[in-house]
Amino acid sequence: MMENNGIYALCGEEGTCKTTMALSFPKPLVHFDTDVGGFRRAAWRLSAEELAQIESKSYPKPIQIEKLKGQLGTPTTRIIVPKKVEGMKELWQKFAQDFVDACMREDVCSLVVDSSTALWNICHQSHLQELQERQLSQHLKFKKGIPFDENDYREKLLPIEYGPANDKMRTVLHTARSFSKNLILTHYPTDEYGAIPDGKGNVVEGKTGNIIMDGFKETKKLSDMVMWLSVKETKVEGKTVRSPTAKITKCGLEGMGLNAVGLEIPASYEGIINLQRLMRGE
C-alpha cells in the first residue's frame, strides 16, 4: 500500500467513525486521546493484530472541584463559578513532550490527535493559566499585604492574545510534517460566527449559517486533506446498511488534487489509497 505522509483533518458529528477512520492509517500508530474515551469506543472494531500496533495515550482534563461545585455568593442562592484555571498548562506540557517523543521514533508511521478540538481548548486554556499566574505575581509584587480576590482573575483571552496559542498549534502540525509522519486530526463541527445583517440596516455579530471545523482556525489551511464524515444508509436485500463515508473538501495529495474535491469515499485510509490509484489510472 502506497503511503502519503501528510496532515489529514477529519470532521464530523459524534458517531460518524472519525476515530475509526483515523486508526486505519499506517501502523505503528500513536493515538493521543485528548477527548478521553474515543479510543475505547472505536477499538472494538479493530482486529487484535491492528490493536497490537497502536499505542494510545490519555490526557484527561484536570477536575477542579471548586468549579464543579461552585460557591455561594450574595445573595446565598447565587452560585459563583471560580475563574482560576489549574492544571491546563501542565497537561499541555505533558502532551507536547509525548508528541515530540513520538515524532522522533523511527518506528512510528502515524500520529492521531483525537480530538484536535479538545487539544485546541487545552492549548488556549494553558495560555490563559499562564496569564492568570502572571496576574497573581504582579499583584503580590505591587500590592503586598493585600489579599488577592480570585474573582478578579481574567476569564478568557482577548483576540490579540491568541498568538502564543496559535504558535503552539502550528508547531504541532509542523513538527509532524518535519519528521514525515502522518498526522490525523479529528474535529467536531460548530457554527460559524461573523458579521451578518440584522434586518435594520446594521451589521451585527452572529451565526452565518455555515458549519465549520471547531478548533484551531488554521487547521484547514495547513492540512493536506480535509474530509467531512457522515453515515450513509442504503438498502441491501431489504435490510438497512449503515456505512461511514468521507467527503473530500480539500486535497493536495499527489495524483488527486482538486479533482478529488467533492468526491465521497469509504471512511478509511484504504479508501483514500483506492481513490488515488483509480485517479492515477492504476
Side-chain angles (χ1 to χ4, degrees):
M1 181 180 289
M2 67 183 73
E3 293 189 10
N4 298 290
N5 293 329
I7 299 173
Y8 300 79
L10 314 179
C11 187
E13 298 284 358
E14 186 75 30
T16 53
C17 297
K18 297 185 297 296
T19 302
T20 302
M21 181 176 184
L23 295 178
S24 73
F25 275 70
K27 316 292 189 299
L29 179 151
V30 179
H31 175 265
F32 298 91
D33 198 356
T34 57
D35 204 6
V36 178
F39 180 77
R40 176 179 52 80
R41 292 192 295 270
W44 67 273
R45 298 186 176 94
L46 306 177
S47 67
E49 182 180 357
E50 289 175 306
L51 288 173
Q53 300 181 76
I54 297 173
E55 180 181 343
S56 184
K57 300 174 179 288
S58 185
Y59 301 87
K61 292 182 180 179
I63 298 175
Q64 294 185 232
I65 301 299
E66 293 77 10
K67 284 194 173 184
L68 185 63
K69 295 190 303 183
Q71 58 188 25
L72 292 177
T74 304
T76 55
T77 54
R78 180 188 176 196
I79 298 295
I80 298 176
V81 178
K83 301 176 182 178
K84 186 178 181 181
V85 177
E86 296 179 291
M88 299 299 273
K89 180 177 72 172
E90 294 75 14
L91 185 59
W92 172 264
Q93 291 171 342
K94 181 178 185 298
F95 164 81
Q97 184 61 61
D98 290 347
F99 187 83
V100 171
D101 290 345
C103 284
M104 295 177 67
R105 285 172 51 182
E106 294 184 2
D107 63 313
V108 172
C109 294
S110 304
L111 310 170
V112 174
V113 177
D114 187 23
S115 70
S116 190
T117 298
L119 182 65
W120 171 239
N121 180 264
I122 295 171
C123 183
H124 68 73
Q125 284 291 301
S126 72
H127 183 50
L128 177 59
Q129 180 180 338
E130 292 173 356
L131 293 181
Q132 287 187 347
E133 291 172 352
R134 195 177 306 164
Q135 183 182 359
L136 177 59
S137 177
Q138 291 293 310
H139 176 90
L140 296 177
K141 181 179 180 180
F142 296 107
K143 297 183 179 180
K144 295 180 180 180
I146 302 177
F148 181 77
D149 186 347
E150 292 199 2
N151 288 318
D152 290 338
Y153 273 127
R154 48 183 319 169
E155 294 184 82
K156 58 183 179 180
L157 300 178
L158 298 174
I160 60 173
E161 294 175 324
Y162 275 88
N166 290 334
D167 288 340
K168 289 178 181 178
M169 290 297 292
R170 288 190 202 101
T171 301
V172 168
L173 274 63
H174 290 317
T175 300
R177 194 185 298 281
S178 67
F179 281 94
S180 298
K181 305 296 185 183
N182 288 307
L183 175 60
I184 304 92
L185 309 167
T186 69
H187 286 260
Y188 291 102
T190 189
D191 291 307
E192 179 186 54
Y193 284 82
I196 59 172
D198 64 356
K200 301 178 181 178
N202 300 315
V203 175
V204 297
E205 185 78 10
K207 295 181 181 180
T208 64
N210 297 325
I211 302 297
I212 59 175
M213 286 191 296
D214 191 8
F216 178 45
K217 64 181 181 180
E218 295 182 24
T219 298
K220 180 178 179 180
K221 179 179 72 174
L222 297 175
S223 295
D224 298 293
M225 188 174 229
V226 178
M227 289 166 282
W228 283 71
L229 276 63
S230 61
V231 176
K232 302 290 185 180
E233 293 187 353
T234 56
K235 290 288 185 179
V236 179
E237 296 180 354
K239 296 182 180 180
T240 300
V241 178
R242 304 177 77 245
S243 304
T245 302
K247 183 176 182 179
I248 301 171
T249 59
K250 177 186 176 181
C251 182
L253 298 185
E254 180 184 350
M256 300 173 73
L258 292 175
N259 291 330
V261 175
L263 299 181
E264 293 186 347
I265 60 173
S268 68
Y269 182 72
E270 186 177 7
I272 298 173
I273 296 302
N274 288 341
L275 177 61
Q276 188 178 40
R277 284 175 173 161
L278 180 65
M279 297 183 75
R280 283 177 168 179
E282 299 177 8

